[in-house]
Amino acid sequence: MARDSLRRLAAEFKQFLTAQGEDEWIAAAAPRRAAATVCTPSDTTTPQGDTLTVEFQQKKTTREMDSPAPMAKTMSTAQKTKALQTLAETIRNCSRCPLGSTRIQAVPGEGNVDTEVMFVGEGPGFDEDRQGRPFVGRAGQLLDKMIVAMGLTREKVFIANIAKCHPMIDPLHPEKHGNDRAPNAQEIACCRKYIEQQIAIICPKYVIALGGVAAKSLISDAKSLGALRGQFYDLHLDSVTLPKPVQIIATFHPAALLRNPGWKKDAWTDLQMVMDQLGLKGARK
Ligand code: SF4
């Protein structure tokens, strides 16, 4: 490879590793695969050697690398449950990014494996880190209300995050409240494969991205959350091909709604778009 090309790749990689803000990671998306190589010795095994997902076709050989990503098979409920349990165990043992050394517990996600609706936030917070479950703090209580308002229950949907471990402003003091932050570009890139595999295994009809970080990451668009809201997108994953089409819509993160109650009306409009597609009457008055 020409020296100029190597220099350019090195510069892009450095930019990727230093991107911190939620708006920066998309700008660094081009070299994301290079960074993922650092995080992922193999696309099918963890550093501990565990099989990441047993239900997907084998990763392409080097000669086939330009072919589409592996195709996820449509699975039975039992196969989905087993695959998600295997994946959750891998996540709990994961140390592919620095969050693995500061978390109390990884938070793989939970819910109905046959759901039509999957909610995806940005990452665990204080309460989630302690309980190992997603959205169990104040924001989670509001999410529960949003789900019920749609005519669903927490048990009928699947809830997960882009990053599976608690990103902290000050990792040296995990006991502090108000220590949460959004996952940075490196953390998202390292963890991305997990949420992609969860979506591919569950294969819901709709993914509802909660907040700008999840929306930009999954829609792969650097626009603001305000610009991304209000429409459905076809979901495309990097590491696996979905067995059937999945649509994604973006709305506000419940934590943002707690800080800005005036946005709840717009969030409800977003949820109603999904309800209309699924024929849910919900708790609409
Ligand atoms: S955030 Fe994701 S990639 Fe990082 S250690 Fe946790 S599970 Fe692994």
Side-chain angles (χ1 to χ4, degrees):
M1 187 179 292
R3 186 170 295 183
D4 283 347
S5 299
L6 281 172
R7 252 195 224 112
R8 180 174 51 75
L9 281 175
E12 287 176 343
F13 185 51
K14 189 174 171 192
Q15 178 201 356
F16 169 80
L17 289 178
T18 55
Q20 296 293 318
E22 67 178 77
D23 290 329
E24 290 177 80
W25 87 269
I26 285 286
R32 187 171 61 201
R33 290 175 197 283
T37 304
V38 172
C39 297
T40 316
S42 151
D43 275 351
T44 53
T45 58
T46 67
Q48 292 78 30
D50 304 325
T51 300
L52 196 59
T53 300
V54 294
E55 304 290 350
F56 297 151
Q57 289 179 4
Q58 289 292 308
K59 174 72 179 155
K60 301 282 185 287
T61 62
T62 308
R63 191 186 291 261
E64 297 169 314
M65 283 300 276
D66 289 334
S67 304
M71 173 80 74
K73 296 171 185 168
T74 303
M75 298 179 190
S76 67
T77 301
Q79 287 173 322
K80 286 182 182 182
T81 302
K82 185 180 172 207
L84 288 169
Q85 284 172 348
T86 302
L87 189 54
E89 202 47 43
T90 300
I91 291 167
R92 290 191 188 98
N93 290 314
C94 179
S95 54
R96 289 164 68 189
C97 83
L99 298 183
S101 61
T102 57
R103 71 182 174 221
I104 295 173
Q105 292 187 66
V107 184
E110 65 183 26
N112 188 323
V113 301
D114 292 320
T115 188
E116 294 184 320
V117 184
M118 191 166 168
F119 291 86
V120 181
E122 61 188 37
F126 181 93
D127 294 300
E128 290 76 16
D129 198 13
R130 276 146 188 81
Q131 295 190 38
R133 299 181 56 214
F135 284 91
V136 290
R138 277 186 69 222
Q141 289 165 15
L142 178 56
L143 178 61
D144 287 348
K145 289 179 186 165
M146 292 160 67
I147 291 168
V148 169
M150 293 176 73
L152 298 167
T153 61
R154 193 174 169 108
E155 292 71 32
K156 288 183 179 167
V157 302
F158 198 95
I159 304 172
N161 283 298
I162 294 282
K164 306 301 187 189
C165 304
H166 183 195
M168 285 176 255
I169 299 164
D170 178 5
L172 293 177
H173 296 94
E175 74 284 357
K176 273 201 312 196
H177 282 277
N179 197 13
D180 303 339
R181 63 167 172 81
N184 66 31
Q186 182 192 6
E187 293 153 0
I188 289 172
C190 286
C191 212
R192 183 182 180 87
K193 185 183 297 289
Y194 296 140
I195 188 65
E196 291 201 349
Q197 296 213 2
Q198 287 176 316
I199 293 171
I201 292 166
I202 295 165
C203 205
K205 283 189 178 160
Y206 295 96
V207 170
I208 300 177
L210 300 168
V213 172
K216 292 173 191 181
S217 172
L218 290 176
I219 299 171
S220 295
D221 194 318
K223 291 193 194 99
S224 68
L225 176 63
L228 291 173
R229 285 185 49 246
Q231 62 177 298
F232 291 102
Y233 303 84
D234 293 329
L235 182 62
H236 299 286
L237 304 179
D238 285 353
S239 59
V240 63
T241 302
L242 290 159
K244 60 184 184 190
V246 174
Q247 296 229 292
I248 180 168
I249 188 169
T251 193
F252 297 100
H253 193 286
L257 297 177
L258 289 173
R259 291 192 299 270
N260 305 279
W263 294 352
K264 286 184 183 173
K265 189 164 171 274
D266 287 338
W268 182 230
T269 302
D270 299 331
L271 299 182
Q272 283 178 310
M273 289 176 66
V274 177
M275 291 165 63
D276 288 343
Q277 294 298 315
L278 294 175
L280 294 171
K281 300 293 178 216
R284 272 189 280 194
K285 299 182 175 73

